[in-house]
Amino acid sequence: MRPNRLRTLWQSGGAAVNGWLAIPNSFSAETMAHQGWDSLTIDLQHGVVDYQAMLPMLQAIATTDTVPVVRVPWLEPGILMKTLDAGAYGVICPMVNTREDAQKLVAWTSYAPRGTRSFGPVRALLYGGADYPQHANDTIVRFAMIETAQALDNLDDILSVEGLDAVYIGPSDLSLSLGCRPVFDDVDPKAQQAIEHILARAKAHGLVAGIHNGNPQVALARQAMGFQFLTVGSDARLMAAGSQQVLSAMRAQAAARPASGY
């Protein structure tokens, strides 16, 4: 089976730089994949991507060594299984708030005897290889999103679930749940304390911790803290930021140019 480069990176103590795909288009996904991201996450929760758009995006990512990850809309067995059958090598599941939630996530993404995932890896066989069924349980990566006060209360119970590989922090939802401003980077002190607590407990349980970031400087600072999966922006945000830079530069040059006369 094709190895999962996320696991290889983490086992060596490294951190993965993850891109985020909110645009439902295979060409933009292919373009992002060819920029050298360690992984790319297709967002089915808050982006405008649906399953039919996701499939060609996974195929586009597969033209590179970038690891395909999908954030599913919710903790629901059907979409988790179909996402893996389509060839995702990692799944990020929102709003995992209890030990039972984490157990369901592991069960629904694992073949028996570990779990209850239904067998039908139609495209996963093409992407992962003919021996996918024998190795899928130990190759794919399962992220539980920790983003509520309830999840914080149940944190150690969640992290102790066998088969869970990583946690992913959504700073905005976590901040909202704690009565703070919903931001990625400059979080309020209460949210910052929660982020540091989640990181410390994940490490204590031997799990990888990931987090969403708005800019590279914050991502690097969080990597120094010990985060090993760092999302920076998204395709939509990067496109908007790049367009703004070009337009601002052109307008500044036009304004500085002396008016021509006759």
Side-chain angles (χ1 to χ4, degrees), residues 74 94-102 145-155 158:
W74 211 249
M95 297 290 177
V96 175
N97 293 321
T98 65
R99 179 177 178 82
E100 182 183 9
D101 287 345
M145 289 199 73
I146 305 296
E147 49 187 345
T148 67
Q150 183 185 9
L152 285 175
D153 291 340
N154 297 316
L155 187 58
I158 293 170

Side-chain angles (χ1 to χ4, degrees), residues 60-81:
I61 295 169
T63 62
T64 71
D65 291 330
T66 300
V67 180
V69 180
V70 173
R71 179 166 71 170
V72 295
W74 211 249
L75 177 62
E76 189 276 319
I79 192 61
L80 282 165
M81 295 183 198

Side-chain angles (χ1 to χ4, degrees), residues 93-134:
C93 185
M95 297 290 177
V96 175
N97 293 321
T98 65
R99 179 177 178 82
E100 182 183 9
D101 287 345
Q103 289 172 327
K104 288 178 179 178
L105 172 60
V106 172
W108 294 339
T109 56
S110 304
Y111 291 126
R114 182 185 296 176
T116 57
R117 178 183 172 188
S118 180
F119 188 79
V122 285
R123 183 177 174 273
L125 287 171
L126 300 177
Y127 179 77
D131 57 347
Y132 178 93
Q134 289 76 42

Side-chain angles (χ1 to χ4, degrees), residues 10-195:
W10 295 338
Q11 288 164 3
S12 67
V17 182
N18 176 63
W20 202 257
L21 303 181
I23 300 172
N25 185 274
S26 61
F27 178 57
S28 61
E30 184 179 25
T31 300
M32 286 282 284
H34 279 266
Q35 305 316 303
W37 299 90
D38 295 313
S39 58
L40 282 173
T41 297
I42 302 172
D43 187 8
L44 297 188
Q45 185 190 16
H46 288 310
V48 292
V49 183
D50 62 14
Y51 184 89
Q52 292 301 320
M54 178 196 74
L55 180 58
M57 292 169 73
L58 287 171
Q59 293 170 319
I61 295 169
T63 62
T64 71
D65 291 330
T66 300
V67 180
V69 180
V70 173
R71 179 166 71 170
V72 295
W74 211 249
L75 177 62
E76 189 276 319
I79 192 61
L80 282 165
M81 295 183 198
K82 282 179 70 67
T83 293
L84 293 177
D85 288 345
Y89 254 34
V91 288
I92 300 175
C93 185
M95 297 290 177
V96 175
N97 293 321
T98 65
R99 179 177 178 82
E100 182 183 9
D101 287 345
Q103 289 172 327
K104 288 178 179 178
L105 172 60
V106 172
W108 294 339
T109 56
S110 304
Y111 291 126
R114 182 185 296 176
T116 57
R117 178 183 172 188
S118 180
F119 188 79
V122 285
R123 183 177 174 273
L125 287 171
L126 300 177
Y127 179 77
D131 57 347
Y132 178 93
Q134 289 76 42
H135 303 289
N137 284 357
D138 297 320
T139 301
I140 63 171
V141 174
R142 304 157 186 83
F143 290 86
M145 289 199 73
I146 305 296
E147 49 187 345
T148 67
Q150 183 185 9
L152 285 175
D153 291 340
N154 297 316
L155 187 58
D156 281 301
D157 286 341
I158 293 170
L159 298 178
S160 63
V161 170
E162 184 178 358
L164 189 65
D165 301 296
V167 295
Y168 188 74
I169 300 174
S172 295
D173 274 318
L174 180 62
S175 295
L176 276 175
S177 182
L178 297 174
C180 303
R181 297 171 301 125
V183 294
F184 288 151
D185 298 333
D186 184 25
V187 296
D188 293 339
K190 187 175 182 180
Q192 180 63 28
Q193 290 173 4
I195 288 170

